[in-house]
């Protein structure tokens, strides 16, 4: 039995289309996903603004809130909470050169409109967490945008969100690349700096995604630890990644088991979750996955997390202490490998 609560987004159960090929599975209605999420053991659902309120660009404020209230009733029906709402700022034509940092005023205004609607939706769904995965926020042509100006734009945009609602917490999900190669806020270190520059740093934190840390050539557990050290890890997106390639959103732990072990370990050791934080997944099924197995990558991610949690809770800290005192890191490393390979 895990001591953590888990969350997932509806986009993690998908029809399998990618930039190189069409769908390989049927689309699944949102309510069916909620039912299965609960059965699998999830406690909360993550939302983009238009997952929660489709075609919100065509609606006005009150209509958006009304749609959000209907969704809240559906969540209640399945005993699920909403973890966060994230404005989707990478599909709309207004976001082709970013949103908050677009060189066009009308695009920046569009991004802010979506961010404020996301806050409205979050309040109706009963969460105070807004996630900003910044997607295209960067520089397509190096000479088209000053990185100084863009960084300051991001801080002022977040300040506007903090002023729009006195309770909202803004959680940046950093990613160093894809779909933009010169990103403005690519690691947890950047997030901490941006947070400190805002008008209310305690309400600005980070969402560490395992794959995004790996894409930056960094260790996910250390990125998690860095945010925890500043008390600013508002959530996580656990998954995996086979090296510095395209973003793969693989099942948690399947490529880098020891890295996954240490992500669970740093969360356990620092009582993550004790203030209601969720262990979020952001994983995608393989293209070959059949309709019947549409949720298997989620089930596998939870299984691997819980198996690793058991190993963390069996970790021999006395042995670790002895190895550290003697600087026997070879011995400590072998102990960890034995633990992971079931010899311990
Ligand atoms: C993309 C991001 C995305 C966000 C939610 O790489 O991980 O899935 O987490 O939009
Ligand atoms: Mg993510």
């Amino acid at each position: 039995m895990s001591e953590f609560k888990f969350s997932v987004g509806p986009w993690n159960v998908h029809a399998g289309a990618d930039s190189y090929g069409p769908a390989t599975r049927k689309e699944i209605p949102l309510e069916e996903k909620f039912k299965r999420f609960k059965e699998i053991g999830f406690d909360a659902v993550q939302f983009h603004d238009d997952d929660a309120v489709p075609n919100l660009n065509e609606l006005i404020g009150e209509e958006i809130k009304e749609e959000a209230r209907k969704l809240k009733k559906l969540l209640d029906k399945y005993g699920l909470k909403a973890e966060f709402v994230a404005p989707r700022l990478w599909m709309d034509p207004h976001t082709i050169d970013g949103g908050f940092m677009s060189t066009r005023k009308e695009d920046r205004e569009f991004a802010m409109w979506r961010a404020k609607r996301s806050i409205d939706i979050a309040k109706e769904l009963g969460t105070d967490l807004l996630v900003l995965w910044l997607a295209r926020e960067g520089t397509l042509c190096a000479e088209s945008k000053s990185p100084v100006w863009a960084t300051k734009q991001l801080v002022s945009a977040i300040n506007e969100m903090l002023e729009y609602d006195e309770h909202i917490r803004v959680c940046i999900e950093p990613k160093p690349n894809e779909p933009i190669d010169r990103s403005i806020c690519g690691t947890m270190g950047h997030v901490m700096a941006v947070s400190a520059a805002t008008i209310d740093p305690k309400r600005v934190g980070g969402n560490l995604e395992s794959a995004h840390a790996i894409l930056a050539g960094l260790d996910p557990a250390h990125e998690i630890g860095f945010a925890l050290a500043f008390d600013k890890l508002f959530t996580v997106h656990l998954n995996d990644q086979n090296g510095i390639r395209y973003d793969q959103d693989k099942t948690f732990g399947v490529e880098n088991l020891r890295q996954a072990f240490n992500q669970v370990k740093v969360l356990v050791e620092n009582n993550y979750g004790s203030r209601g934080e969720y262990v979020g997944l952001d994983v995608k099924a393989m293209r070959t996955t059949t309709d019947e197995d549409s949720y298997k990558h989620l089930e596998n991610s939870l299984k691997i997390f819980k198996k690793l949690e058991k190993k963390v809770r069996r970790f021999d800290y006395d042995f670790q202490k002895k190895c550290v005192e003697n600087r026997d890191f070879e011995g400590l490393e072998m102990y960890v490998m034995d633990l992971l390979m079931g010899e311990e």
Side-chain angles (χ1 to χ4, degrees):
M1 180 60 185
S2 171
E3 293 184 23
F4 291 98
K5 292 188 303 176
F6 298 94
S7 75
V8 65
W11 66 90
N12 287 171
V13 177
H14 56 100
D18 63 20
S19 339
Y20 304 100
T24 57
R25 292 180 296 276
K26 289 194 292 291
E27 288 293 347
I28 296 175
L30 191 60
E31 179 162 359
E32 191 181 321
K33 290 183 183 180
F34 285 2
K35 185 170 176 296
R36 288 290 289 125
F37 288 167
K38 188 67 180 177
E39 287 164 0
I40 292 169
F42 289 100
D43 307 278
V45 182
Q46 310 159 20
F47 293 99
H48 297 110
D49 49 2
D50 54 11
D51 292 325
V53 181
N55 62 37
L56 81 160
N57 280 359
E58 281 76 62
L59 302 177
I60 55 160
E62 250 333 287
E63 292 168 325
I64 293 171
K65 290 180 188 175
E66 183 47 39
E67 288 305 306
R69 285 191 282 271
K70 285 182 202 159
L71 179 70
K72 178 71 168 67
K73 287 197 177 77
L74 200 57
L75 285 169
D76 293 345
K77 177 179 170 187
Y78 292 98
L80 291 165
K81 299 285 184 202
E83 185 196 4
F84 67 68
V85 179
R88 192 191 302 272
L89 298 174
W90 51 92
M91 299 297 274
D92 192 280
H94 277 295
T95 63
I96 55 176
D97 183 27
F100 306 118
M101 303 176 230
S102 168
T103 47
R104 290 197 176 157
K105 187 167 179 292
E106 60 271 27
D107 295 349
R108 297 197 296 272
E109 286 167 350
F110 170 81
M112 188 51 69
W113 184 85
R114 288 287 288 251
K116 289 177 177 173
R117 298 301 74 75
S118 296
I119 293 170
D120 294 344
I121 294 167
K123 288 176 76 172
E124 297 302 334
L125 295 181
T127 175
D128 68 351
L129 195 57
L130 180 79
V131 162
L132 300 180
W133 170 54
L134 294 169
R136 302 187 192 282
E137 296 293 5
T139 310
L140 283 171
C141 165
E143 296 74 15
S144 69
K145 211 179 276 187
S146 149
V148 176
W149 171 84
T151 304
K152 289 179 176 173
Q153 279 296 117
L154 177 59
V155 174
S156 59
I158 293 173
N159 285 340
E160 192 171 335
M161 295 170 214
L162 295 170
E163 284 166 340
Y164 177 71
D165 182 90
E166 61 177 359
H167 301 295
I168 202 70
R169 293 182 298 137
V170 178
C171 180
I172 301 174
E173 179 182 334
K175 184 174 179 181
N177 68 334
E178 199 181 11
I180 192 86
D181 61 341
R182 275 181 279 262
S183 74
I184 295 293
C185 188
T187 71
M188 196 51 86
H190 292 82
V191 172
M192 296 299 105
V194 167
S195 169
T198 62
I199 54 174
D200 192 355
K202 70 179 177 321
R203 286 200 286 145
V204 182
N207 170 15
L208 190 277
E209 175 154 329
S210 316
H212 297 179
I214 294 167
L215 286 168
L218 299 172
D219 180 296
H222 273 61
E223 288 289 278
I224 287 172
F226 195 77
L228 286 169
F230 296 98
D231 196 18
K232 290 182 183 298
L233 186 72
F234 291 177
T235 190
V236 290
H237 260 180
L238 298 186
N239 53 22
D240 212 346
Q241 177 74 25
N242 178 17
I244 303 182
R245 292 180 175 78
Y246 56 94
D247 189 0
Q248 296 173 299
D249 290 339
K250 289 190 169 201
T251 293
F252 179 61
V254 293
E255 288 292 344
N256 307 284
L257 185 58
R258 190 173 173 197
Q259 268 189 358
F261 168 76
N262 280 299
Q263 289 170 72
V264 179
K265 186 166 177 285
V266 72
L267 293 175
V268 170
E269 288 176 342
N270 293 280
N271 299 315
Y272 175 84
S274 58
R275 287 174 294 180
E277 307 96 325
Y278 289 96
V279 170
L281 298 182
D282 193 9
V283 289
K284 290 197 176 60
M286 296 178 205
R287 185 164 166 71
T288 46
T289 296
T290 59
D291 288 309
E292 296 69 39
D293 291 340
S294 290
Y295 299 83
K296 199 167 260 189
H297 59 302
L298 299 178
E299 291 164 320
N300 290 351
S301 294
L302 287 188
K303 254 186 228 162
I304 292 167
F305 183 96
K306 292 173 182 175
K307 285 174 185 277
L308 290 175
E309 184 185 352
K310 279 198 193 122
K311 290 182 182 293
V312 168
R313 296 192 191 283
R314 282 199 298 114
F315 187 75
D316 186 342
Y317 286 95
D318 293 336
F319 179 73
Q320 182 221 22
K321 192 161 170 282
K322 195 156 69 49
C323 290
V324 170
E325 278 159 8
N326 303 328
R327 278 205 168 157
D328 178 12
F329 295 157
E330 304 288 351
L332 177 57
E333 186 168 68
M334 195 58 229
Y335 163 71
V336 172
M337 299 316 289
D338 282 340
L339 184 64
L340 292 176
M341 290 189 281
E343 312 280 317
E344 270 292 335

